[in-house]
Amino acid sequence: MTDRRFSVAIDGPSGAGKSTIARAVAARFGFIYVDTGAIYRTVGLAARRAGADPYSARAVEPLLPGLSIRFDYGADGTQRMYLNGEDVSRAIRTPEISMYASAVSAIPAVRAYLMDMQRDAAGRSSVVMDGRDIGTVVLPQADLKIFLTASAEARAGRRLAELKAKGDPSTFDEVLADMVRRDEQDTTRAAAPLRAAADAVAVDTSDMTLDESVERVCALVRERMEAVR
Ligand code: DC
């Protein structure tokens, strides 16, 4: 392998396993992992705290110039998000903020505001970046693009297990309904909707274990690295 930076874009609907898989793949290759959903979640949290209607561009846009959003990595490699200096890594992981993030992410000014932060991260080192529009908009020149999917039921089941582990009382039906609504919002918005890039490799994880999914993506990365070396 040469010293050139290598970029992997992983897009897909919520709960397809993107973040878990992306983090594991990044660790395997020594790349940094950028969770772009966490960045949108931080804007969602800011809107929530300001009492702004997250569906209203007129309410959310004026907040942006006053925000300071940044991220870094903890000793264990996890991405930590900061809003105006406060570590909000946990606060952004609630079902309410999932919905706020999805709502604010449909506002073009929010997407524009977060673009440089995402591209800068990929300019600094080899990355695995996950989100909804990484292969289509943020890193259209990514070396490898993966569109990760799974059935809505499989995705809701996994998300429920994550929430339960944190003591969240949500039921399967609530999680499934939230997920279907969020997918609908994320795929039908006008600005950078969730869709597979024309040159993305589709990976359906419905019937795969986490280990199998990680191995599949690692195999794709290795193949691609060989091809571009
Ligand atoms: O990946 P996630 O569930 O943490 O993302 C939260 C929301 O942020 C998601 O519903 C849509 C939005 N998002 C986006 O629009 N573009 C991205 N690249 C990542 C997330």
Side-chain angles (χ1 to χ4, degrees), residues 66-167:
L67 300 182
S68 153
I69 293 178
R70 61 180 186 86
F71 58 92
D72 68 9
Y73 296 91
D76 61 352
T78 54
Q79 179 179 323
R80 295 178 303 203
M81 290 304 312
Y82 299 88
L83 173 60
N84 300 329
E86 175 192 347
D87 184 343
V88 294
S89 312
R90 277 178 68 89
I92 58 173
R93 298 291 164 193
T94 67
E96 185 190 26
I97 298 305
S98 299
M99 208 51 88
Y100 265 78
S102 176
V104 298
S105 72
I107 300 171
V110 170
R111 307 201 70 81
Y113 171 78
L114 299 179
M115 185 63 73
D116 287 351
M117 194 183 303
Q118 299 171 75
R119 288 194 176 143
D120 285 353
R124 280 198 298 269
S125 88
S126 290
V127 286
V128 180
M129 189 174 286
D130 80 8
R132 303 293 187 289
D133 64 335
I134 308 306
T136 51
V137 178
V138 179
L139 303 179
Q141 311 296 336
D143 295 293
L144 174 65
K145 301 177 187 178
I146 293 173
F147 196 74
L148 208 63
T149 57
S151 68
E153 286 71 21
R155 293 187 286 118
R158 292 174 193 162
R159 186 48 60 88
L160 181 69
E162 275 173 23
L163 288 169
K164 272 210 161 31
K166 289 190 292 189

Side-chain angles (χ1 to χ4, degrees), residues 198-211:
D199 50 351
V201 181
V203 176
D204 184 332
T205 66
S206 307
D207 299 317
M208 290 186 195
T209 63
L210 177 61
D211 282 351

